[in-house]
Amino acid sequence: IQTPTLAAPPSLKKITSDLALGHFKSQNYRDAAAGFTDFLKRFPESSNLPQAYFCLGSSHYALQDCVSAIPAFQTVITRFTSSQRTPDAMLNMAECQSDMKDKTAARQTLNNLIKRFPNSAAAKTGKGRLSELK
């Protein structure tokens, strides 16, 4: 006789991440930002940190809060240099810098993006944005 095996309940980490991501996907950016902040505090060793920081920054950016978005994007750029999210984080950070009227910083970020990730879609977009900042 075989005893039935019960599926393991989803981990708190997965539930927390999925909840924040659900808010993000439904464009409820205020709750998404709160959810990702909670996730980052509770699970600082997660393998999903680049995604969480990127979504946190993107949530703040969607709320037009570049002051809060830039540090999240900067974390992706400096701590997760080989993440697939890094080029997009650089592009979004440059957008924030431009929105904050810091064209010099935006140009520098875009130039770094193009130099570090020349074949990325973000770099192609960045080249267009760079010509608009002249």
Side-chain angles (χ1 to χ4, degrees):
I1 298 174
Q2 280 189 326
T3 47
T5 55
L6 298 174
S11 71
L12 182 59
K13 180 170 31 173
K14 178 159 176 34
I15 292 168
T16 305
S17 175
D18 288 352
L19 187 61
L21 202 51
H23 287 307
F24 184 78
K25 288 179 179 176
S26 64
Q27 299 179 357
N28 181 352
Y29 297 116
R30 194 164 310 288
D31 287 345
F36 286 115
T37 299
D38 179 51
F39 176 85
L40 291 165
K41 285 180 184 168
R42 293 167 81 174
F43 308 105
E45 302 303 317
S46 170
S47 62
N48 291 335
L49 292 182
Q51 172 79 5
Y53 276 108
F54 179 81
C55 289
L56 175 62
S58 296
S59 296
H60 285 303
Y61 181 63
L63 294 168
Q64 299 178 332
D65 180 4
C66 284
V67 171
S68 299
I70 287 175
F73 291 136
Q74 188 66 52
T75 299
V76 176
I77 295 163
T78 57
R79 280 187 57 194
F80 309 103
T81 56
S82 61
S83 168
Q84 65 185 28
R85 287 298 192 180
T86 303
D88 293 323
M90 294 177 85
L91 180 62
N92 290 357
M93 188 166 89
E95 292 289 331
C96 271
Q97 292 164 330
S98 179
D99 289 353
M100 295 174 71
K101 309 292 186 232
D102 190 347
K103 291 184 188 287
T104 302
R107 273 194 292 275
Q108 182 179 6
T109 300
L110 291 171
N111 282 321
N112 288 340
L113 164 62
I114 294 162
K115 183 177 173 184
R116 283 180 59 189
F117 303 98
N119 299 320
S120 68
K124 288 176 181 60
T125 301
K127 287 176 186 172
R129 301 270 161 71
L130 198 54
S131 66
E132 295 167 12
L133 286 173
K134 299 288 183 201

